[in-house]
Amino acid sequence: MSDISDDDSEISFKVKFIGRVEVVRAAGVQILEEAAQTLKTPDQFSSEKVAKKSKVHLFLSLNGIDLLENKTKYLLYTCPLSTVSFCGVLPSSAKVFGFVAQHPVADMYHCYLFQSKKFSHVLVSVIGDALRASTKEKTTRGGRDLIVEALRHKNKMLQRENTELKRRLAEKTDA
């Protein structure tokens, strides 16, 4: 059921989308199990749950993961790779895999679950490789800038502390 096509900058897979559900933690196989259980349990109040499994195109690039509805090509979700914190195969069902991503503006996480009869482990491996490549690219590009910024911040904090200690010492010697 999975269709793998390759373009230089992104990879596309056709898989069954089981659904998306809000989760309490950012990582762990247990999160996948809990999300799968939540999606199995009917809840009339949740708009996040999908009534039936629908085929989607999962596009993966160094920028992120996009989910497009198969028939209409409607963009369902987009997740920048910087927000993805975990991906894995469901231990209780080797056909089911998913990933956890932080909402871009809210302090919450969502688990996205998919089904692939043959390629679950391969897809998780490819997503993991993309995460590592994305992280490596950011580290290579901005690693020094982050270190310099952190050192500047630490320097300011130490200067403030030094000024405060000098002020206290001056007060004690004047008294």
Side-chain angles (χ1 to χ4, degrees), residues 5-165:
S5 63
D6 188 7
D7 182 344
D8 288 335
S9 60
E10 68 181 21
I11 300 172
S12 170
F13 307 97
K14 191 188 299 183
V15 294
K16 287 185 180 176
F17 181 52
I18 298 171
R20 175 183 97 149
V21 65
E22 187 176 335
V23 293
V24 295
R25 292 186 312 276
V29 174
Q30 185 62 32
I31 286 295
L32 294 179
E33 291 284 359
E34 291 170 9
Q37 189 59 42
T38 300
L39 288 169
K40 284 180 187 176
T41 309
D43 182 356
Q44 63 190 26
F45 302 110
S46 177
S47 62
E48 299 292 341
K49 297 179 184 179
V50 176
K52 65 175 190 162
K53 296 175 190 171
S54 59
K55 289 183 183 175
V56 296
H57 283 278
L58 186 149
F59 288 93
L60 175 65
S61 70
L62 288 179
N63 294 324
I65 301 171
D66 294 332
L67 301 178
L68 276 70
E69 204 280 323
N70 186 46
K71 291 181 183 174
T72 64
K73 304 302 183 223
Y74 177 76
L75 180 64
L76 297 172
Y77 301 105
T78 185
C79 301
L81 278 184
S82 61
T83 66
V84 176
S85 56
F86 177 80
C87 65
V89 175
L90 198 67
S92 61
S93 176
K95 295 178 183 179
V96 177
F97 70 98
F99 65 88
V100 177
Q102 184 174 14
H103 191 279
V105 292
D107 189 24
M108 65 175 64
Y109 295 90
H110 288 102
C111 181
Y112 299 80
L113 290 175
F114 307 89
Q115 183 177 0
S116 175
K117 289 184 179 178
K118 298 178 183 176
F119 299 109
S120 291
H121 290 282
V122 173
L123 297 176
V124 167
S125 177
V126 170
I127 292 170
D129 289 346
L131 285 170
R132 282 185 289 283
S134 173
T135 304
K136 185 176 180 180
E137 184 177 295
K138 285 180 190 168
T139 304
T140 303
R141 245 188 330 188
R144 283 192 179 151
D145 293 340
L146 290 174
I147 292 169
V148 168
E149 193 60 36
L151 289 172
R152 284 183 183 150
H153 177 71
K154 182 71 172 173
N155 189 26
K156 282 183 184 178
M157 298 297 288
L158 290 172
Q159 285 176 347
R160 287 182 191 151
E161 182 182 353
N162 193 23
T163 302
E164 177 63 22
L165 290 172

